[in-house]
Amino acid sequence: MKIQFLVLFITLLFVKPGHTQVCPIIPLPETAIAKPGYFIISKHTPVLINDPSLRRHAAFLQNEVLKTKGVALAFQDQANAPAIKLVLSGKNSSSEAYKLSIEPSEIKIISSGEKGIFYGINSLIQLIRQLPGSEPFAISGWEITDKPALAWRGIMLDESRHFFGKETVKEMLDWMAFYKLNKFHWHLTDAPGWRLEIKKYPKLTLVGGIGNHTDSLAPAKYYTQEDIKEIVAYAAERYITVIPEIDMPGHARSANMAYPEYSGGGTAKYPEFTFNPGKEKTYSYLTDILREVNVLFPSGMIHLGGDEVSFGSKNWERDSGVKQLMQKNDLKNLKEVEDYFVRRMADTVFQMNNKVLLWDEAATGDLPSDKTIIFWWRHDRPEQLKMALDKGYSVVLCPRVPFYFDFIQDTTQRVGRIWKGAIADLRKVYDYMPEQESVIGKRGDQILGVQANLWTENLSTVPHLQYMLFPRIGAFAESAWSAPGKKDYTGFLERLKPQLELYKQDKIYYYNPFNPAVTPEPLPPGKITINR
Ligand code: ACM
């Protein structure tokens, strides 16, 4: 032990007092000033807190250091060594800002809110994880002040097309926390499979959970309500809100396999695609489902989808119930029927004291602007974004290019999407700023933030999912968190290099932007259909 300290101090004698000005944290903090000297982290270093609410924060830090560096930091009551201090300076539950100072005598994370403390801890964990050698570690001096540029920093995962399961989701939540992302949008229902247990309608999972995008006969895969509670709690420990998406009135095939009496039919290409808006019992059925969803997800938000309904609503024209509905409510066309349906189900969501979240097709509807969040995804349709803003809705920006992570990131890739030649390479993800959408104008305060969406038609294995997410998740985090004026792609790449080592340590199969051949595209088993 003593010899290890001696070696460390001799090493430090040869290191210049100042050190590199590059602060190796992603996303880039607001300010980071290198300070002279080092703090020595050893198993004698205690984590001290000034408020009992920070106990779990201290435990999180201790767990991460143990997991990644194999060092169990000291208990609080052994406080006789220079300490890591977590200091809550207020009770501002919305504050995400923090200050992290590393000096030879102490490490201090200070924030007026618990979230800020958590983000400060994650910056510290990033620095600790990159320290070479073994305990005791010397961590360079820094004075960091930080806060996010955008409030909504989301990732969406589609588990209807392919189901990945709890461990993969938890790993994703771990990395989201590491990169200070805070919203997990969970696409749990769609045509290939229904993945959420609903007690009142067990066939939704037992029948609707059968199959996936590549194998219509795959055994049923879904999350039980206990699984959901576990994931929601795991996310909450990381200040990540989980938002469920129950897609309607389109993308409903899996539900219709289980309960055909509520089906509104579909087309040859999109069979049994819709719920039936012309039957009163459809609304009570879906309300029952949403009541359970509301209990399971305490986020105060439910995403109702509302996308691409026109792909399969043609059949409604022939449905006598829909015809009657149109007559009674003076609905002129199928789009108005769709808006009527969305409005009714949104009202159900409002009655549960939730906000309703919808894809940008629903911007045509007439919903209360203070309770509605529109997700703008059709990057080729800026008019949809404009319409949402004109109506006063809050908006999350997730334009396909560059935020659909099922798009390829390199033209040599064989599996993944492209839009008229456009791909979602790392640089585009990094450079994205809401300001570049000209229709936003002076309405920036309606933009809640950004989201990256992992659709999984083409992604059936965990390595492939990881390959599409890493390292774009880092570039995305910087687009979401860091001040646009401070972003610098070259600096980002410098900071990214050591993070690739962390991916390797954690057995993440990542895309290597410096040398793509090192980690070749993990092609899925079987026949490859290129969906372009
Ligand atoms: C979507 O990509 N259909 C929202």
Side-chain angles (χ1 to χ4, degrees):
M1 216 322 280
K2 291 240 169 62
I3 290 188
Q4 277 171 298
F5 265 108
L6 196 64
V7 170
L8 182 68
F9 282 123
I10 291 171
T11 313
L12 292 181
L13 282 178
F14 293 97
V15 180
K16 279 200 253 117
H19 52 84
T20 163
Q21 301 295 302
V22 178
C23 180
I25 292 176
I26 292 176
L28 183 69
E30 186 174 50
T31 65
I33 300 164
K35 293 282 179 183
Y38 296 82
F39 179 94
I40 306 301
I41 298 179
S42 76
K43 65 183 182 194
H44 303 292
T45 307
V47 182
L48 305 182
I49 58 175
N50 77 331
D51 190 285
S53 65
L54 298 183
R55 249 181 227 131
R56 68 190 183 99
H57 300 71
F60 182 85
L61 173 60
Q62 285 171 319
N63 268 315
E64 289 299 307
V65 174
L66 179 58
K67 189 170 81 188
T68 60
K69 298 304 248 186
V71 179
L73 298 173
F75 288 108
Q76 192 168 341
D77 55 11
Q78 293 173 343
N80 54 4
I84 300 173
K85 295 180 180 161
L86 310 181
V87 180
L88 192 62
S89 62
K91 285 281 174 198
N92 181 352
S93 63
S94 64
S95 175
E96 298 182 305
Y98 69 91
K99 206 168 128 186
L100 163 62
S101 57
I102 302 175
E103 297 170 13
S105 59
E106 65 176 20
I107 292 179
K108 188 147 89 181
I109 295 170
I110 179 162
S111 172
S112 63
E114 289 177 33
K115 280 187 203 165
I117 298 285
F118 183 73
Y119 293 132
I121 286 172
N122 277 285
S123 287
L124 179 60
I125 289 168
Q126 288 208 12
L127 296 174
I128 291 174
R129 285 206 64 182
Q130 295 177 55
L131 297 174
S134 54
E135 190 246 352
F137 303 103
I139 179 166
S140 310
W142 285 105
E143 181 78 38
I144 293 169
T145 57
D146 204 5
K147 65 173 185 315
L150 298 171
W152 189 291
R153 306 181 297 276
I155 299 272
M156 188 216 78
L157 177 65
D158 165 14
E159 287 207 88
S160 174
R161 271 50 179 253
H162 288 104
F163 183 88
F164 296 93
K166 263 197 300 197
E167 292 318 306
T168 301
V169 169
K170 283 186 180 172
E171 184 172 70
M172 195 178 282
L173 293 169
D174 286 342
W175 283 95
M176 285 178 67
F178 190 74
Y179 287 132
K180 304 185 176 75
L181 303 178
N182 64 354
K183 300 283 188 283
F184 179 59
H185 170 174
W186 212 355
H187 189 79
L188 286 164
T189 74
D190 209 305
W194 182 284
R195 308 298 182 200
L196 168 66
E197 180 192 20
I198 299 293
K199 302 271 188 202
K200 185 156 187 186
Y201 298 103
K203 284 192 287 181
L204 281 171
T205 43
L206 298 177
V207 176
I210 296 172
N212 60 43
H213 189 77
T214 41
D215 175 5
S216 62
L217 298 175
K221 286 267 168 65
Y222 59 91
Y223 291 102
T224 65
Q225 296 201 350
E226 286 310 304
D227 293 335
I228 296 286
K229 281 185 222 160
E230 185 183 325
I231 298 273
V232 167
Y234 191 86
E237 281 167 22
R238 288 154 181 77
Y239 291 95
I240 297 169
T241 307
V242 184
I243 298 110
E245 181 183 348
I246 309 297
D247 207 342
M248 59 183 78
H251 292 278
R253 193 203 68 98
S254 59
N256 291 337
M257 291 294 102
Y259 295 97
E261 57 269 44
Y262 307 108
S263 174
T267 61
K269 189 166 175 203
Y270 297 98
E272 303 302 332
F273 189 72
T274 63
F275 291 117
N276 190 331
K279 279 185 183 165
E280 225 13 68
K281 65 177 189 177
T282 305
Y283 299 96
S284 43
Y285 162 67
L286 291 172
T287 297
D288 286 343
I289 291 171
L290 293 180
R291 287 167 70 96
E292 294 194 29
V293 171
N294 176 47
V295 172
L296 293 171
F297 295 90
S299 62
M301 294 181 270
I302 296 180
H303 202 303
L304 291 185
D307 56 321
E308 298 174 329
V309 184
S310 62
F311 285 12
S313 58
K314 196 88 186 118
N315 193 56
W316 293 355
E317 281 171 353
R318 293 192 290 275
D319 186 287
S320 60
V322 178
K323 279 190 208 156
Q324 270 173 23
L325 181 87
M326 291 176 80
Q327 236 168 20
K328 188 166 156 217
N329 295 282
D330 195 22
L331 306 173
K332 294 182 192 57
N333 52 46
L334 294 187
K335 179 63 182 151
E336 288 191 12
V337 175
E338 184 184 318
D339 287 344
Y340 169 91
F341 176 98
V342 168
R343 172 75 213 214
R344 277 198 59 179
M345 292 317 301
D347 280 343
T348 300
V349 170
F350 301 143
Q351 274 161 24
M352 295 170 188
N353 230 352
N354 280 283
K355 287 192 175 176
V356 73
L357 282 54
L358 290 153
W359 299 110
D360 67 42
E361 286 88 336
T364 50
D366 178 22
L367 297 160
S369 60
D370 58 331
K371 296 183 208 156
T372 304
I373 302 175
I374 296 291
F375 286 63
W376 180 61
W377 65 281
R378 290 180 292 177
H379 70 290
D380 56 328
R381 294 213 190 180
E383 69 277 12
Q384 290 299 121
L385 172 58
K386 183 173 181 309
M387 187 191 298
L389 293 168
D390 287 348
K391 291 191 173 183
Y393 300 138
S394 298
V395 173
V396 172
L397 302 170
C398 48
R400 282 188 205 97
V401 176
F403 287 157
Y404 270 26
F405 283 3
D406 58 332
F407 273 59
I408 57 171
Q409 50 203 321
D410 172 326
T411 49
T412 66
Q413 282 167 19
R414 294 180 59 201
V415 179
R417 293 167 71 192
I418 277 188
W419 189 275
K420 296 186 181 154
I423 66 170
D425 56 277
L426 191 64
R427 169 128 216 182
K428 246 188 252 157
V429 175
Y430 186 83
D431 283 342
Y432 188 82
M433 288 186 276
E435 293 77 1
Q436 72 197 48
E437 305 300 345
S438 60
V439 301
I440 293 175
K442 290 198 171 60
R443 298 171 296 185
D445 55 343
Q446 281 172 254
I447 305 295
L448 296 182
V450 289
Q451 185 167 289
N453 294 340
L454 259 172
W455 298 102
T456 60
E457 283 92 337
N458 297 305
L459 310 178
S460 58
T461 67
V462 173
H464 204 173
L465 188 76
Q466 293 173 337
Y467 182 79
M468 298 306 254
L469 185 57
F470 295 87
R472 285 192 288 199
I473 186 173
F476 172 75
E478 206 134 320
S479 285
W481 178 281
S482 306
K486 302 226 159 160
K487 281 165 66 178
D488 156 29
Y489 188 61
T490 313
F492 168 73
L493 290 179
E494 272 316 300
R495 284 175 288 119
L496 182 61
K497 274 183 200 148
Q499 302 244 342
L500 300 187
E501 286 306 310
L502 305 185
Y503 301 161
K504 239 189 255 175
Q505 282 168 22
D506 285 12
K507 303 197 168 34
I508 297 283
Y509 194 84
Y510 60 93
Y511 169 75
N512 186 329
F514 305 103
N515 187 355
V518 177
T519 54
E521 184 181 17
L523 296 172
K527 184 170 149 282
I528 298 167
T529 31
I530 300 185
N531 177 13
R532 289 191 180 152

